[in-house]
Amino acid sequence: PEALLRTTVGLWSIAFSPEGDFLAAGGRDGRIRLFSRRHGELPPLEGHAARVYSIVFHPEGRMMVTGSGDGDVFIWDLLDLSEPPTRLHTNTPHIDCLAFNHDGTVLASSGDGTIRLWNMETHECLADITEDNRVIESVAFSPDGKTIAAGSWAHKVSLWDLETRHRYAILPESTCVHSICYSPDGKYICSSSDSRHLRLWNVESRTYSTLEGHTDSVWSVAFSPNGQRIASGSDDGTLRVFDTSSGKCTTILNGHDPDCTVYGVAFSPCNDFVASASDDGFIQLRRYS
């Protein structure tokens, strides 16, 4: 790897800030490890009482939001990390996933069968969208901000119109869905599940192609900023990079403990690195092809 960052606990989430100034990883111990391009590793951020399942950065890069198994959503001011985070009262037993819309005015959170939409100026809940009372593990806004997608244990990806709060499409899956992401142009959704394969959905036609290579459940997926690559992390201990056009696996990145799960993957904003976070406690930064 180009860089190998060691922590003392298993890691479950990872994210780059929009300008690439920060890299954050969420740990099993409830701490957030934060790495600055200018200052290196910063002191861990504390406050959560359980593992940190999700980390998202505001599109303008001024704040970071974290969600945990303790049910809390914390908003961290990146301009002044000495200040305690703002807590959203989610009334959710645990938080599995978070997502910002395109302009950062709305945050989505979930960990049960309901998607909660938050006004990021007032920190008030705007709406609840209920998804069959099955656990939602991943949410994603379309780039135009008109749709929110939810991947759940109900073996499907649901697409909801944000204006009407109406579910207008269901993309069926064969097993529990762990992670979803939109392509930058909004034409595709990539989903991962216990099936060992990725599905690349055409949003308009609602058909999919299968991306094969992993040998166990796939927990995380991410599109590169230019949309040409998809990264995925799996129970098989590998991070794989797929070509979006051909669907072929172009890179297999080993290095994590093969007996540990790669729970988080993220591309750097400049398209040059892919990062992975594993239950082995390591963060790996790799150049990819």
Side-chain angles (χ1 to χ4, degrees), residues 10-11 24 30 36 63 83 86 88 94 122 146 153 174 177 182 206 213 216 219 238 255 261 266 277:
L11 301 171
S36 165
M63 69 179 73
E83 288 294 316
T86 300
L88 296 183
H94 58 94
T122 65
K146 296 180 179 179
W153 287 9
S174 59
V177 178
Y182 268 97
R206 299 173 196 170
D216 211 332
W219 285 87
T238 69
T261 298

Side-chain angles (χ1 to χ4, degrees), residues 173-235:
E173 297 276 348
S174 59
T175 61
C176 295
V177 178
H178 295 307
S179 182
I180 59 173
C181 59
Y182 268 97
S183 61
D185 61 10
K187 295 181 179 179
Y188 299 95
I189 291 175
C190 186
S191 62
S192 69
S193 68
D194 285 333
S195 71
R196 306 192 310 270
H197 308 312
L198 282 63
R199 288 187 178 183
L200 184 60
W201 292 91
N202 183 303
V203 174
E204 183 176 358
S205 67
R206 299 173 196 170
T207 58
Y208 68 87
S209 56
T210 302
L211 310 184
E212 300 181 350
H214 285 293
T215 59
D216 211 332
S217 300
V218 184
W219 285 87
S220 53
V221 290
F223 269 99
S224 62
N226 62 13
Q228 296 177 4
R229 297 287 188 270
I230 296 169
S232 57
S234 168
D235 268 340

Side-chain angles (χ1 to χ4, degrees), residues 161-176:
D161 184 294
L162 283 170
E163 183 176 358
T164 65
R165 309 284 196 264
H166 171 69
R167 182 171 59 192
Y168 67 87
I170 293 176
L171 310 179
E173 297 276 348
S174 59
T175 61
C176 295

Side-chain angles (χ1 to χ4, degrees), residues 113 115 128-132 136 140-142 145-150 156-170 182:
I115 304 167
D128 287 349
I129 300 174
T130 301
E131 171 74 7
D132 301 334
I136 296 170
F141 285 94
S142 61
K146 296 180 179 179
T147 297
I148 189 166
K156 62 186 176 185
V157 177
S158 298
L159 305 183
W160 297 80
D161 184 294
L162 283 170
E163 183 176 358
T164 65
R165 309 284 196 264
H166 171 69
R167 182 171 59 192
Y168 67 87
I170 293 176
Y182 268 97

Side-chain angles (χ1 to χ4, degrees), residues 5 20-23 34-43 78-79 81:
L5 307 174
D21 295 327
F22 294 99
L23 175 67
L34 195 61
F35 301 87
S36 165
R37 185 164 58 184
R38 294 180 61 187
H39 303 294
E41 185 172 2
L42 303 177
L78 293 175
L79 301 179
L81 288 170

Side-chain angles (χ1 to χ4, degrees), residues 12-16 23-26 53 55 263-266 275-277 283-285:
W12 284 67
S13 52
I14 195 165
F16 281 99
L23 175 67
Y53 287 112
I55 300 174
Y263 281 112
V265 296
S276 57
I283 299 168
Q284 294 197 41
L285 291 175

Side-chain angles (χ1 to χ4, degrees), residues 64-104:
M64 176 181 70
V65 183
T66 57
S68 167
D70 59 12
D72 283 335
V73 171
F74 286 161
I75 303 171
W76 306 85
D77 183 354
L78 293 175
L79 301 179
D80 188 1
L81 288 170
S82 65
E83 288 294 316
T86 300
R87 177 175 177 260
L88 296 183
H89 298 278
T90 65
N91 296 317
T92 304
H94 58 94
I95 299 295
D96 285 331
C97 51
L98 300 166
F100 273 114
N101 69 341
H102 63 295
D103 61 6

